[in-house]
Amino acid sequence: MTDSWATFGTDLHLEPVGQGLRSGLMEALREAVRTGRLAPGTRLPSSRVLAADLGVARNTVADAYAELVAEGWLTARQGSGTRVAQRSAPRRTDPAAARSRPVRPGARYSLKPGSPDLSAFPRTAWLKAARKALTAAPDEAFGYGDPHGRVELRTALAEYLARSRGVHADPDRIVICSGFAHGLTLLGRVLRRRGIRDVAVESYGLDVHRDLLTDAGLRTPCLPLDEHGSRTGEPAALRGAGAVLLTPAHQFPTGVPLHPDRRAAAVDWARSTGGLILEDDYDGEFRYDRQPVGALQGLDPERVVYLGTASKSLAPGLRSGWMVVPESLVAEVAGAKGPANSCGVVDQLTLAEFIGSGAYDRHVRRMRLCYRRRRDELVAALAERAPRIGVTGLSAGLHVVLRLPPGLDERTVVQAAHWQGLAVQGVGAYRHPDAKAETWGGLVVGYGTPSDSAWAGTLEALLQALSAVGDIEGPRPV
Amino acid sequence: MTDSWATFGTDLHLEPVGQGLRSGLMEALREAVRTGRLAPGTRLPSSRVLAADLGVARNTVADAYAELVAEGWLTARQGSGTRVAQRSAPRRTDPAAARSRPVRPGARYSLKPGSPDLSAFPRTAWLKAARKALTAAPDEAFGYGDPHGRVELRTALAEYLARSRGVHADPDRIVICSGFAHGLTLLGRVLRRRGIRDVAVESYGLDVHRDLLTDAGLRTPCLPLDEHGSRTGEPAALRGAGAVLLTPAHQFPTGVPLHPDRRAAAVDWARSTGGLILEDDYDGEFRYDRQPVGALQGLDPERVVYLGTASKSLAPGLRSGWMVVPESLVAEVAGAKGPANSCGVVDQLTLAEFIGSGAYDRHVRRMRLCYRRRRDELVAALAERAPRIGVTGLSAGLHVVLRLPPGLDERTVVQAAHWQGLAVQGVGAYRHPDAKAETWGGLVVGYGTPSDSAWAGTLEALLQALSAVGDIEGPRPV
């Protein structure tokens, strides 16, 4: 039998040099057992024989055998030598099959909303902030941490949100989360535990947000919407709801800001019923034609939970979000995060430094100019080449809604765009299942999504798609 | 009335300079409404009057008023001027009260297990890796991302885990998470959805881990434990369980490695019942007297979920963890993470670079030497000054268990340590509520926790505490 082991040694593809020999031998033996090359019960050569065969020290082989015995791969019994452990051979997995997970073929261009220009992430400035933050951080910062999040970040955010968004913030009522979805998940859990069953949502919005609430055991009745935003003032609209999810600065996706009377009505509803407003301030930083409309939260910090993120202002990949929470809810919301803070401390400290140093404001200003230029180019191009298309939701954010002329189905345009290599979404994709059907069609155009270099091509693809479906080059309707 | 507005202007503490004037005026007005200084219905001075009073441009005031109307703070009606909006004054929150959240007074020294030496976090090397990673990252890396986690990190981990831990890993079966608690939460959810009711846990372990499973709707029956680790081979022990949570490399907290027969028995149980093993490899990198015992997962990658983190090897604050998941579970586990990846991409890319460049190995090697030195000092000091104390769990990890002589209650020692300013935990704190009561007491000594500079003082405090309770300086028991 000894002869065959010479071959076996070669089969192991060992390179008998350096420190890695023992571990290489172990891995080769594991692999041989795993794949069935070495069947259960097979007796291995003695360490002396295999060592000689491989030209290595006997101890190396003996140690490897001992390890594999400890791990349960091999057994060593007095008098019967070292054998492959008695158990059915592990199922073999096919790495090729595992790797063939289908990848969705990407469209060449995308105007899907919800993402900023990823190519504009300020890598150098971020690294600079990371260096300062990591140098200054106390050792304890690297521990499990407080579920509220790092105090440095909560302090920087309190100052920033008060200044830029009129949020009544103080560090003790801020809870850091890993984005809006995480924040909403935590809030859903807290609301459900408080016995709430219904969280009203706008009749247009993201289904993933509704799903997160549903997953928490909540129902999501739908709040009607018109050109002044969600109709918070109607007595029937919020009846029975324990909370309402709103996008006051720039309704998603229709783009209308919530009318002052509707803001007041929402707060009045919350006060009179003990309800809670969840304010999704998803693109509050980006307003072009006038200064940003301040956050609703400022009107009543005890009845509004403010949710913001760095996903539009910096990048979704940071998974950095924050909630400004009524004092009476802070402990519950932080508690819902679980035993440890779930957000990486390096990013938290870096973002605190990034905000505190003014780099965040500079980046937002730069991006605001960039996005406004794109918006202006989009509007000008449409006016020239597709004047029958109306545009709404212009004054803020990273997307607009193109209103299609009556008779032109948005699905037709989405399909035409697809043939131009352009991914774009119709407003219908965001409609609440219980919403009153609209008589008009529209496209949600996320002009923040392309990189600067792809922008011109993307815009052209959109115009081509629109002209392909025809009937848009007439005079603009009054 | 105009007169009083001069005072009002002063009260606003405005500094009428620079770009911030309008927003400063707005915030001052908001604050005045919020605190009730401006009651609902109060008519404000005209923009002309207030502008003259403050010595600023009239447009500045007019713009601020218009913003606050849009935000719902003020109302503007033709003929009745600008007034504070009609609604009950917001409740005032007392920032002093919010800030007085009690802070637990920290002990001067800590030997609580579960944390590495935070002062040893390799800040410079981490920054270097971050720079390389951020420079090399494609733009799409900054998007919402794949719930599986970045492919760069999964690829680096697959290579590292195979090499260092004998894990059968390939990037497609790795799911990134934000630490062990996150991973266990996801797995608990998946198991419960699959109809599993019972996940067996070791009779000593962390209550927070049991709680995470309980929160997912699972029961956590207890698996007996002896000097060879958890008794996976007893027919009754795992009966009815759909999964079992184990710490094979170094049982937490008792420190024993799982005996090869017990490893085999666990895998056999999983195969014959279709059960799943959750392998918590919490400190697999740290083994001192011999090479690490490879992961159990390698024995049957389709029946074992391997869970690892950077919490002990680098720092808990990174919130970086990973699961190597049976192929048949990958989609469910990734799906349980929700719509977006919840782990920051910068840390993921940085860790990938850190591992790929060899910096991770270097750091682990350096820390291994440091922790081994501490362990040796601890053992030597105990042998000299408290020879009746037995020490177990020595060969690996960042903690040992001190076995106290019969008759010495561990709570007495914990209390004595407390008086020395030392936080330390008795083994009883980790006992499963259903576990058979032990006849011996023990202390779990996490010698990885102190910084290097605090180590000598911490060790001395432990020895003082032990000598304070007396009766430990006799001859070592046989």
Side-chain angles (χ1 to χ4, degrees):
Chain A
M1 180 130 183
T2 312
D3 261 5
S4 72
W5 288 114
T7 327
F8 169 63
T10 314
D11 275 356
L12 288 173
H13 302 297
L14 287 171
E15 295 178 40
V17 286
Q19 296 185 311
L21 175 60
R22 193 190 45 78
S23 66
L25 175 58
M26 283 173 66
E27 188 43 36
L29 284 165
R30 283 194 203 102
E31 192 57 31
V33 174
R34 207 181 273 137
T35 57
R37 221 157 18 113
L38 284 176
T42 307
R43 183 174 176 160
L44 298 192
S46 73
S47 53
R48 188 185 51 77
V49 168
L50 185 56
D53 178 36
L54 296 171
V56 301
R58 181 175 173 183
N59 270 354
T60 303
V61 179
D63 285 356
Y65 279 8
E67 287 304 316
L68 292 169
V69 168
E71 291 177 21
W73 293 91
L74 307 179
T75 58
R77 298 268 180 267
Q78 204 70 35
S80 92
T82 304
R83 291 177 181 276
V84 176
Q86 274 297 353
R87 69 168 53 84
S88 54
R91 259 140 283 183
R92 199 170 170 173
T93 60
D94 180 356
R99 263 183 217 104
S100 69
R101 189 188 301 149
V103 175
R104 211 181 317 158
R108 183 158 172 219
Y109 302 115
S110 175
L111 286 169
K112 289 205 173 176
S115 178
D117 176 354
L118 300 176
S119 73
F121 182 75
R123 303 182 189 207
T124 308
W126 187 259
L127 275 167
K128 190 177 159 194
R131 158 146 301 150
K132 271 192 89 167
L134 271 186
T135 308
D139 289 338
E140 56 86 17
F142 298 99
Y144 280 95
D146 177 340
H148 297 82
R150 284 302 299 178
V151 65
E152 294 89 339
L153 178 55
R154 292 185 283 117
T155 304
L157 281 169
E159 187 278 327
Y160 172 78
L161 294 173
R163 169 166 59 79
S164 76
R165 306 292 302 124
V167 171
H168 180 75
D170 97 19
D172 282 337
R173 53 165 76 213
I174 294 181
V175 178
I176 303 302
C177 55
S178 66
F180 182 82
H182 184 212
L184 191 60
T185 301
L186 298 174
L187 291 168
R189 214 173 292 161
V190 167
L191 293 175
R192 192 64 199 91
R193 276 189 205 151
R194 288 198 158 199
I196 286 172
R197 289 305 310 265
D198 288 3
V199 175
V201 298
E202 297 179 306
S203 56
Y204 283 79
L206 284 170
D207 55 356
V208 289
H209 295 172
R210 292 193 295 267
D211 291 348
L212 289 171
L213 294 169
T214 309
D215 285 351
L218 295 157
R219 290 180 300 226
T220 55
C222 133
L223 188 62
L225 182 72
D226 62 21
E227 70 278 16
H228 298 303
S230 285
R231 288 153 73 165
T232 54
E234 289 182 13
L238 292 168
R239 190 171 294 150
V244 57
L245 175 61
L246 296 174
T247 48
H250 188 230
Q251 205 281 329
F252 186 86
T254 66
V256 292
L258 191 62
H259 189 277
D261 292 345
R262 303 273 172 91
R263 292 178 155 242
V267 171
D268 288 344
W269 164 82
R271 287 185 184 164
S272 63
T273 64
L276 211 59
I277 300 167
L278 313 183
E279 178 176 23
D280 177 5
D281 195 39
Y282 70 101
D283 67 2
E285 273 100 349
F286 296 111
R287 197 161 179 96
Y288 309 117
D289 303 320
R290 41 185 289 172
Q291 289 297 317
V293 177
L296 184 59
Q297 188 266 4
L299 287 180
D300 195 339
E302 285 307 310
R303 300 255 55 96
V304 183
V305 180
Y306 174 91
L307 293 114
T309 74
S311 295
K312 309 294 184 295
S313 53
L314 279 164
L318 291 181
R319 310 315 301 133
S320 289
W322 43 85
M323 292 179 273
V324 188
V325 180
E327 233 177 281
S328 56
L329 270 181
V330 171
E332 274 168 90
V333 173
K337 281 181 85 178
N341 187 5
S342 48
C343 308
V345 71
V346 179
D347 280 344
Q348 289 189 64
L349 294 171
T350 303
L351 183 56
E353 168 63 29
F354 199 77
I355 294 172
S357 69
Y360 190 83
D361 287 85
R362 281 193 294 280
H363 181 70
V364 166
R365 267 201 302 276
R366 184 166 78 82
M367 295 315 294
R368 198 186 286 132
L369 290 174
C370 158
Y371 294 136
R372 181 160 70 179
R373 181 180 51 70
R374 290 190 193 178
R375 182 204 61 164
D376 293 346
E377 287 170 12
L378 171 68
V379 170
L382 287 167
E384 191 188 322
R385 293 173 56 186
R388 290 191 59 213
I389 304 283
V391 191
T392 61
L394 274 170
S395 60
L398 306 183
H399 76 275
V400 292
V401 176
L402 306 194
R403 296 187 75 130
L404 301 175
L408 180 51
D409 190 315
E410 65 189 45
R411 285 166 302 186
T412 310
V413 188
V414 169
Q415 189 55 47
H418 179 76
W419 293 120
Q420 297 291 334
L422 171 66
V424 67
Q425 203 81 278
V427 281
Y430 302 100
R431 192 179 294 140
H432 191 291
D434 302 338
K436 222 175 50 189
E438 289 288 344
T439 52
W440 56 279
L443 286 190
V444 181
V445 170
Y447 55 85
T449 305
S451 67
D452 253 359
S453 57
W455 167 243
T458 307
L459 179 55
E460 186 56 33
L462 174 68
L463 295 164
Q464 294 282 348
L466 289 169
S467 83
V469 295
D471 199 30
I472 54 166
E473 298 184 30
R476 186 193 277 269
V478 278
Chain B
M1 182 131 182
T2 313
D3 260 4
S4 72
W5 287 114
T7 326
F8 168 64
T10 314
D11 276 355
L12 288 173
H13 302 297
L14 288 171
E15 294 178 42
V17 286
Q19 298 183 311
L21 176 60
R22 192 190 47 78
S23 65
L25 175 59
M26 283 175 65
E27 188 43 36
L29 284 165
R30 282 193 203 104
E31 191 56 32
V33 174
R34 208 181 272 138
T35 57
R37 215 151 31 104
L38 284 176
T42 307
R43 184 174 176 159
L44 299 191
S46 71
S47 55
R48 189 185 49 76
V49 168
L50 185 57
D53 177 36
L54 296 171
V56 301
R58 181 173 172 184
N59 270 354
T60 303
V61 179
D63 285 355
Y65 279 8
E67 287 304 317
L68 292 170
V69 168
E71 290 179 17
W73 294 90
L74 308 179
T75 58
R77 298 269 180 267
Q78 203 72 33
S80 91
T82 304
R83 291 177 181 274
V84 177
Q86 275 297 352
R87 71 166 54 83
S88 53
R91 258 141 286 183
R92 197 169 173 175
T93 60
D94 180 355
R99 264 184 216 103
S100 69
R101 188 189 303 147
V103 175
R104 211 181 318 159
R108 183 159 172 218
Y109 301 115
S110 175
L111 286 169
K112 289 203 173 177
S115 177
D117 176 353
L118 300 175
S119 73
F121 182 76
R123 304 184 189 207
T124 308
W126 188 258
L127 275 167
K128 190 176 161 197
R131 157 147 303 148
K132 270 192 91 166
L134 272 186
T135 307
D139 289 339
E140 54 86 17
F142 299 99
Y144 280 96
D146 177 338
H148 297 82
R150 285 300 300 177
V151 67
E152 294 89 338
L153 178 55
R154 291 186 284 117
T155 305
L157 281 169
E159 188 278 327
Y160 172 77
L161 293 173
R163 169 166 58 78
S164 75
R165 306 292 302 124
V167 171
H168 180 75
D170 97 20
D172 281 337
R173 52 165 77 213
I174 294 182
V175 178
I176 303 302
C177 56
S178 66
F180 182 82
H182 185 212
L184 190 61
T185 302
L186 299 173
L187 291 168
R189 215 174 291 160
V190 167
L191 294 174
R192 192 66 199 89
R193 277 189 204 149
R194 289 197 157 198
I196 286 172
R197 288 307 309 264
D198 288 2
V199 175
V201 298
E202 297 178 305
S203 56
Y204 282 79
L206 284 170
D207 54 356
V208 290
H209 295 171
R210 293 193 294 267
D211 291 348
L212 290 171
L213 294 169
T214 309
D215 286 351
L218 295 156
R219 290 180 300 226
T220 54
C222 132
L223 188 60
L225 182 72
D226 61 23
E227 69 278 16
H228 297 303
S230 286
R231 288 153 73 166
T232 54
E234 290 182 12
L238 292 168
R239 188 171 295 149
V244 57
L245 175 61
L246 296 174
T247 48
H250 187 231
Q251 204 282 330
F252 186 87
T254 65
V256 292
L258 192 62
H259 189 277
D261 293 344
R262 303 273 172 91
R263 293 177 155 242
V267 171
D268 288 343
W269 164 82
R271 286 185 184 165
S272 64
T273 64
L276 211 60
I277 299 167
L278 314 182
E279 177 176 24
D280 177 6
D281 195 37
Y282 70 101
D283 65 3
E285 273 99 350
F286 295 111
R287 197 160 178 97
Y288 309 118
D289 303 321
R290 42 187 286 172
Q291 289 296 317
V293 177
L296 183 60
Q297 189 266 4
L299 287 180
D300 195 339
E302 284 307 310
R303 302 254 55 97
V304 183
V305 180
Y306 174 91
L307 294 114
T309 73
S311 295
K312 308 294 184 295
S313 54
L314 278 165
L318 290 181
R319 310 314 303 131
S320 289
W322 43 85
M323 290 178 276
V324 188
V325 180
E327 233 178 281
S328 57
L329 270 181
V330 171
E332 275 169 88
V333 172
K337 280 182 85 177
N341 187 6
S342 49
C343 307
V345 72
V346 179
D347 279 344
Q348 288 189 65
L349 295 171
T350 303
L351 182 56
E353 167 63 29
F354 199 78
I355 294 171
S357 69
Y360 190 83
D361 287 85
R362 280 193 295 278
H363 181 70
V364 166
R365 266 200 303 276
R366 186 166 76 82
M367 296 314 295
R368 198 186 286 134
L369 290 175
C370 158
Y371 294 136
R372 181 160 70 178
R373 183 180 50 71
R374 291 190 193 179
R375 183 204 60 163
D376 292 346
E377 288 170 12
L378 171 69
V379 170
L382 286 168
E384 190 190 323
R385 292 175 54 188
R388 290 191 59 213
I389 304 283
V391 192
T392 62
L394 273 170
S395 61
L398 306 182
H399 75 274
V400 291
V401 176
L402 307 195
R403 295 188 75 132
L404 302 176
L408 181 52
D409 189 316
E410 66 190 45
R411 286 166 300 186
T412 309
V413 187
V414 169
Q415 188 56 48
H418 179 74
W419 294 119
Q420 298 289 334
L422 170 66
V424 67
Q425 203 83 277
V427 281
Y430 302 99
R431 191 179 293 139
H432 191 291
D434 302 337
K436 220 177 50 186
E438 288 289 344
T439 52
W440 56 279
L443 286 191
V444 181
V445 170
Y447 55 84
T449 305
S451 67
D452 253 359
S453 57
W455 167 242
T458 307
L459 180 55
E460 185 56 35
L462 174 68
L463 294 164
Q464 293 283 347
L466 288 170
S467 81
V469 295
D471 198 30
I472 54 166
E473 298 183 31
R476 187 192 278 270
V478 277

